[in-house]
Amino acid sequence: MICCNRLAALKQPKKNVTLTFKRKELLYDISNIAFVEGDIVPEGEEHGRHQIIDICQDGNVDRVTRVMDLVVAHCREMLYPFTKIEIEDESDIDDTFEESEYYSIELSVPADFSKTTFVYLERIIHNYIVYKVLADWLSITNTKNPRSGVNWYEKATDLESEIESALSARMHRVRRTQTPF
């Protein structure tokens, strides 16, 4: 038996919205932060420095692309109440490498979903993708400062919590009862 509140939520009008992330913009932010990380590497560690800074160069960008693909898929899962898509009978998925120009997340949200929350989610998820890529890359390349990768992983984890709280705060209407006190 479905409770009344859930039944009302199922009947509530929906709007379809799309979060779009431009690959070029993500790579730009990743490159900028990686440059700063590499720039603070001590003198005499030129090989380590260029490994960090060259995150978006030929060859390296393939790893970055795979990580971005994974992070976007994870974001779709985190947003599951709004992103669920039924599987078709003849669905095939493979691991062919592709460089998408855009990453998009399609959501079906209640009609009264706030645009400010939507904009906030876009900004958080953009940074979440950037931070997860940096955490992965720096955990591999910044061997002189292993804390660097951990730092970006922690920042990403904080943003993951913000994504979840932004959604849970908007999932249900708040009903305040009137009291004389």
Side-chain angles (χ1 to χ4, degrees), residues 13-17 79 81-84 106-111 113:
K14 302 277 187 187
K15 287 187 178 180
N16 294 323
V17 294
L79 301 170
F82 303 106
T83 60
K84 56 185 169 187
E106 296 174 16
L107 299 108
S108 179
V109 298
F113 196 84

Side-chain angles (χ1 to χ4, degrees), residues 13 23 27 31 36 51 62 68-70 73 100-101 112 123 126 147-148 170-171:
R23 172 185 170 76
L27 292 175
S31 289
V36 172
Q51 288 294 347
D62 296 345
M68 284 194 300
D69 291 346
L70 178 63
S100 303
E101 200 172 326
D112 64 349
R123 305 274 160 76
H126 175 95
R147 182 77 186 126
S148 177
R170 275 55 172 197
M171 293 267 297

Side-chain angles (χ1 to χ4, degrees), residues 27-88:
L27 292 175
Y28 178 80
D29 288 350
I30 291 165
S31 289
N32 277 342
I33 296 171
F35 179 82
V36 172
E37 283 279 343
D39 194 44
I40 61 173
V41 170
E43 286 190 34
E45 301 291 333
E46 300 309 317
H47 181 67
R49 177 188 314 255
H50 94 80
Q51 288 294 347
I52 294 167
I53 292 174
D54 291 348
I55 187 171
C56 293
Q57 299 305 310
D58 290 340
N60 297 342
V61 77
D62 296 345
R63 170 72 184 175
V64 168
T65 299
R66 291 276 189 189
V67 174
M68 284 194 300
D69 291 346
L70 178 63
V71 175
V72 170
H74 179 70
C75 287
R76 287 186 188 114
E77 269 309 296
M78 281 193 300
L79 301 170
Y80 175 76
F82 303 106
T83 60
K84 56 185 169 187
I85 300 170
E86 291 186 25
I87 294 178
E88 298 171 6

Side-chain angles (χ1 to χ4, degrees), residues 8-25:
L10 291 173
K11 292 180 181 179
Q12 186 177 16
K14 302 277 187 187
K15 287 187 178 180
N16 294 323
V17 294
T18 303
L19 295 167
T20 303
F21 304 94
K22 297 176 183 173
R23 172 185 170 76
K24 188 171 111 178
E25 297 298 321

Side-chain angles (χ1 to χ4, degrees), residues 128-156:
Y128 180 72
I129 296 167
V130 170
Y131 295 175
K132 289 291 272 192
V133 168
L134 287 166
D136 176 75
W137 186 256
L138 294 171
S139 71
I140 297 167
T141 60
N142 200 351
T143 57
K144 295 294 180 183
N145 181 11
R147 182 77 186 126
S148 177
V150 173
N151 179 43
W152 290 104
Y153 179 81
E154 289 171 354
K155 287 177 181 279

